[in-house]
Amino acid sequence: MYAQVIVEYPVKTLDKTFTYSIPSILKNVLLVGMKVKVPFGTKEIEGFVLEITDICEADYEIREIIEIIDKELILNEELLHIADFLKEETLCTKIKALQSMLPSSLKAGNKKRKDYAHYEAYIRLNKEVDIESYIRQNRRYEKQIEIIELLENEERISKKDINNSSLKTLLSRGIVVEEKEQVYRLQNKEDQIKDKVLTEEQQNAFLKIKESLNEYKTFLLFGVTGSGKTEVYIKIIKEVIASGKRALVMVPEISLTTQIAQRFAASFGSDVAILHSSLSVGEKYDEYIKIIRKEVHVVVGTRSSVFAPLENLGIIIIDEEDSPSYKQENTPKYHAKDVAMYRAKYNHIPLVLATATPTLEAKARADKGVFELIKMEKRVGASTLPEIHIVDMEKEMKQKNMIFSRLLIEKIKEKLEKKEQVILLLNRRGFSTFITCSNCGFVYKCPSCDITMTFHKTSNNVMCHYCGYTIKKSDLCPKCHEDALNYYGLGTEKLESELQKIFNEARIIRMDQDVTQKKGAHERIIKAFKNLEYDILVGTQMVSKGLDFPKVSLVGVINADASLNIPDFRSNETTFSLLSQVAGRAGRSDIKGEVIIQTFNPDNYIIQCVKNNDYNSFYRKEMDFRRKLRYPPYYYLVGIKVIGKSYEVALKEAQKVKKYLDMHLNRETICLGPTTAAVLKYKEEYRFQIIIKYRFDESLKSVLKEIASFYVTNKDCYIDIDFNPNRI
Ligand code: ADP
Ligand code: ZN
């Protein structure tokens, strides 16, 4: 018997399987999908078994599989199919696809491998010795006797509760024995709560999905903020579990996982596994193992949880389907929604895409009847959608109100007096967004990217938000050594400190990437704010989605134009979604919510649509724009980057690629470029971009494969292909 093994090296030239013979001790043990160690050249490396065959067609010397690694891990048939799908959809290598589906602890070739399981030690009396006589002979060692008596009453005790020298003696004499047991690091401690009685809209949504539990169908659950989508998920998942199946719930951000996970834990107890990037390696391992062992019926997680090895899957729910975080920005550049759709088809189950602000793609498909639209238009209970005020910042500037408008100050004051809470959104972290010298014109710029660096006051660093390059800020200008550095631009750090100057009594907390580096920081901030330990929450887009704080009655958007001015075809959509979502954090319970949006473009139609909570007008206008300019959902996009250390070489190769595309693509397909990428220089490399817009093009994939393989051996340049990019 032979095994076809794909090895850990993610290079195109090795994107195939190698034949190994199966040693007799593994003959009845080795299965397709297992991870194995194999000899490869002079090394021992790892790979996955993709096939087991009786005959050998290889024309090279066949060597033997050495051993199985991580015996519990077996990539099932579905996951192997998903890997093929990823490879085909993103043009990555198969091994890259397989590896991206696994937590780091279980990847092939993990150099830090160890036993990731976490054990707890317990002690118990040794039943094989004569305890009575031991007690008789050792009466004077009171501490030892105490332990023995404890264990006589209590079968076994956690060792860490009694770790002293008397216990050591008892252990060494064999009176007490120790045993280890695997325990999961994450334990659910949520109090169980009773499910809510669904409102009519919720019940209606639930019933519609329930009808299709045994078929492939995609629903667009279009429910306004606060319409109670989470309760619908819970009810439908209970139904799924009752039929013996399992559920996957995806959420966009770590900050959101916390709240939803808590809500799920309160309903499903320890039947839930959580997967997101701020878990430790060990925690992730544990959660993954729970799924492999079929110990949970529900998985809640961020993007890569779409690969959770849940067997007998019964439903997939994608919360906030419009979040860009579902697209992976590194190879393989997959979209979790596509993978989810693939899995839903594979398993003949429904996929639910839920949001208050659907992507144009999803809404358009719903309009065409490809997806089934379910609407929830009312907030639950007494709560209503907030009132939205638009403030023209040009007028405020004339009054020297640079950051806060008068209305915002007044409203914050009012809410603080009423002991209600406030959320302020500024989608930019750091203190000042650039520093320049008024004497010589020096600007802090990243040496490896085309980007001005942002000042972070707490750490006194300047940082490139693109590549992360960080240096200490000097007091004098680093170039002319004059004391002439000036600070411009506003980030959340400065916003917080300016706010504190005005409201010195207020308790302010900030949530952005800088303060959430530490593990568990999200949870702590969200919990503290929910427990009313703070009055104002200041943050980046992290505070905009999904969070449910009943006491928040005011949301302020400091600079609504920031995302509007990004030169990207999706910027209108992103802005509409961001503003509507953050507005949706206000007035979620019985207190009335208000929203203040500060902008230099008060008449902009996006801002107006947000104000009127008018998704439909936004949708119509935006669709019109997309159709005219041939953007999604009317056209599909592919972004191709040609990247190299030399500007000239990269540009020349990009022109060659363009020429090749022009010759080989369909005539209706549009091919634009090459132009410099939005950020031309990134990490010392120059990037040129070609954009393809197409509707139907059977030859596209093969042409792109051709180009990609042509550059595999090029030393000066490489190609990056991104299907349906978030941004171009
Ligand atoms: P969405 O995700 O649609 O914005 P949530 O699921 O967060 O809304 O629900 C909003 C609030 O309404 C939550 O505090 C939730 O507990 C509450 N809620 C939801 N459904 C009900 C219901 N049927 N009865 C009472 N309260 C509900
Ligand atoms: Zn940089």
Side-chain angles (χ1 to χ4, degrees), residues 651-668:
L651 175 59
K652 203 177 91 220
E653 293 302 322
Q655 284 160 342
K656 277 206 307 216
V657 171
K658 170 70 165 34
K659 212 165 173 185
Y660 187 84
L661 288 168
D662 282 342
M663 273 161 32
H664 292 88
L665 292 180
N666 263 1
R667 269 203 305 179
E668 295 75 40

Side-chain angles (χ1 to χ4, degrees), residues 193 195-200 202-203 221 223-233 256 259-260 263 319-320 354-356 376 378-381 383 530 545-550 581 584-585 588-589:
I193 57 170
D195 293 336
K196 304 199 161 61
V197 179
L198 297 190
T199 63
E200 203 181 317
Q202 286 173 322
Q203 181 69 14
L221 178 56
V224 298
T225 56
S227 57
K229 296 185 280 292
T230 319
E231 297 301 320
V232 177
Y233 310 159
L256 261 183
Q259 271 204 349
I260 270 215
R263 179 67 195 86
D319 191 32
E320 319 280 1
T355 178
M376 301 211 301
K378 291 196 282 288
R379 281 194 160 181
V380 171
S383 125
K530 192 152 196 165
K545 280 192 181 205
L547 299 171
D548 187 37
F549 302 113
Q581 294 278 1
R585 300 314 108 211
R588 293 173 69 85
S589 58

Side-chain angles (χ1 to χ4, degrees), residues 188 192 237 241 245-247 264-265 267-274 290 294-300 310:
N188 165 39
Q192 298 295 295
I237 291 172
I241 295 175
K245 292 186 172 181
R246 298 190 169 79
F264 272 69
S267 270
F268 299 101
S270 56
D271 204 5
V272 190
I274 312 276
K290 284 181 197 171
K294 303 190 179 69
E295 290 172 357
V296 291
H297 285 88
V298 186
V299 172
V300 178
L310 281 164

Side-chain angles (χ1 to χ4, degrees), residues 24-242:
S24 51
I25 47 159
L26 294 183
K27 279 246 154 74
N28 297 317
V29 190
L30 191 73
L31 300 171
V32 169
M34 280 183 163
K35 188 163 65 189
V36 288
K37 188 187 273 180
V38 292
F40 194 79
T42 55
K43 288 197 177 135
E44 288 184 355
I45 62 169
E46 294 174 8
F48 296 97
V49 177
L50 295 188
E51 208 184 328
I52 292 177
T53 51
D54 290 328
I55 44 165
C56 167
E57 288 171 355
D59 54 0
Y60 43 84
E61 184 204 343
I62 301 296
R63 298 161 83 181
E64 242 182 24
I65 285 179
I66 300 166
E67 60 176 333
I68 298 172
I69 315 268
D70 291 325
K71 292 191 173 60
E72 280 190 83
L73 175 74
I74 303 166
L75 298 169
N76 64 26
E77 217 176 292
E78 183 184 4
L79 292 189
L80 293 174
H81 276 113
I82 295 174
D84 287 329
F85 172 76
L86 277 186
K87 177 177 165 166
E88 189 53 34
E89 288 296 301
T90 71
L91 304 185
C92 68
T93 58
K94 176 107 177 222
I95 188 69
K96 194 91 197 175
L98 290 165
Q99 295 276 56
S100 67
M101 294 165 33
L102 296 170
S104 62
S105 52
L106 291 168
K107 288 189 203 297
N110 173 11
K111 297 287 175 290
K112 296 186 197 137
R113 177 161 301 118
K114 53 173 184 153
D115 184 359
Y116 288 95
H118 177 67
Y119 299 94
E120 207 157 291
Y122 292 91
I123 48 168
R124 63 163 78 237
L125 286 178
N126 187 349
K127 295 209 174 79
E128 307 199 334
V129 299
D130 183 354
I131 302 286
E132 292 313 313
S133 82
Y134 185 83
I135 294 177
R136 256 177 275 123
Q137 287 159 25
N138 294 277
R139 277 259 173 251
R140 59 214 154 95
Y141 300 113
E142 282 173 25
K143 283 229 165 96
Q144 287 191 27
I145 305 303
E146 242 173 63
I147 295 172
I148 292 174
E149 281 171 354
L150 231 105
L151 288 172
E152 277 176 334
N153 291 328
E154 260 191 68
E155 189 77 10
R156 71 174 198 173
I157 298 177
S158 174
K159 190 183 172 191
K160 63 177 187 295
D161 295 343
I162 321 184
N163 220 350
N164 58 30
S165 58
S166 309
L167 176 63
K168 281 207 186 93
T169 311
L170 289 170
L171 281 165
S172 69
R173 292 184 181 164
I175 306 302
V176 169
V177 288
E178 182 178 331
E179 59 193 19
K180 275 180 160 186
E181 193 178 285
Q182 187 186 353
V183 287
Y184 297 126
R185 292 164 178 89
L186 293 183
Q187 304 278 346
N188 165 39
K189 297 186 199 78
E190 286 304 310
D191 294 332
Q192 298 295 295
I193 57 170
K194 270 196 20 209
D195 293 336
K196 304 199 161 61
V197 179
L198 297 190
T199 63
E200 203 181 317
E201 276 189 337
Q202 286 173 322
Q203 181 69 14
N204 168 47
F206 160 71
L207 289 175
K208 275 198 175 146
I209 301 167
K210 186 182 159 191
E211 251 170 49
S212 301
L213 274 185
N214 292 311
E215 56 181 305
Y216 165 63
K217 189 168 202 178
T218 299
F219 292 94
L220 174 60
L221 178 56
F222 183 2
V224 298
T225 56
S227 57
K229 296 185 280 292
T230 319
E231 297 301 320
V232 177
Y233 310 159
I234 286 169
K235 187 88 190 275
I236 195 77
I237 291 172
K238 293 220 156 150
E239 201 71 28
V240 166
I241 295 175

Side-chain angles (χ1 to χ4, degrees), residues 446 448-449 464 466-469:
C446 175
S448 5
C449 310
C464 168
Y466 244 73
C467 72
Y469 175 78

Side-chain angles (χ1 to χ4, degrees), residues 564-711:
L564 213 49
N565 292 335
I566 296 171
D568 169 39
F569 77 97
R570 265 191 237 276
S571 65
N572 282 342
E573 184 178 346
T574 322
T575 307
F576 181 82
S577 155
L578 178 72
L579 296 181
S580 308
Q581 294 278 1
V582 74
R585 300 314 108 211
R588 293 173 69 85
S589 58
D590 42 5
I591 35 178
K592 175 92 188 118
E594 285 183 272
V595 179
I596 295 174
I597 297 180
Q598 303 190 155
T599 172
F600 288 96
N601 301 290
D603 301 324
N604 179 290
Y605 84 89
I606 295 294
I607 306 266
Q608 287 302 321
C609 290
V610 172
K611 178 178 163 56
N612 301 327
N613 184 36
D614 188 357
Y615 177 88
N616 287 336
S617 296
F618 152 75
Y619 174 72
R620 272 196 308 274
K621 267 221 150 120
E622 194 59 20
M623 284 294 273
D624 209 35
F625 157 76
R626 300 281 181 93
R627 183 168 39 75
K628 284 190 184 122
L629 294 180
R630 300 181 179 161
Y631 279 119
Y634 294 98
Y635 278 73
Y636 294 106
L637 291 183
V638 186
I640 301 176
K641 285 201 184 78
V642 182
I643 305 168
K645 288 247 181 284
S646 146
Y647 181 98
E648 286 76 22
V649 174
L651 175 59
K652 203 177 91 220
E653 293 302 322
Q655 284 160 342
K656 277 206 307 216
V657 171
K658 170 70 165 34
K659 212 165 173 185
Y660 187 84
L661 288 168
D662 282 342
M663 273 161 32
H664 292 88
L665 292 180
N666 263 1
R667 269 203 305 179
E668 295 75 40
T669 297
I670 301 161
C671 187
L672 304 168
T675 56
T676 55
V679 175
L680 165 65
K681 192 176 154 207
Y682 170 63
K683 289 191 180 173
E684 303 289 354
E685 291 178 327
Y686 293 91
R687 311 183 304 167
F688 289 89
Q689 181 168 269
I690 295 165
I691 292 159
I692 298 173
K693 297 179 177 181
Y694 70 101
R695 286 228 267 212
F696 311 98
D697 196 334
E698 326 67 48
S699 57
L700 180 75
K701 273 269 161 65
S702 63
V703 173
L704 291 177
K705 275 183 195 166
E706 198 72 32
I707 294 174
S709 64
F710 180 77
Y711 278 92

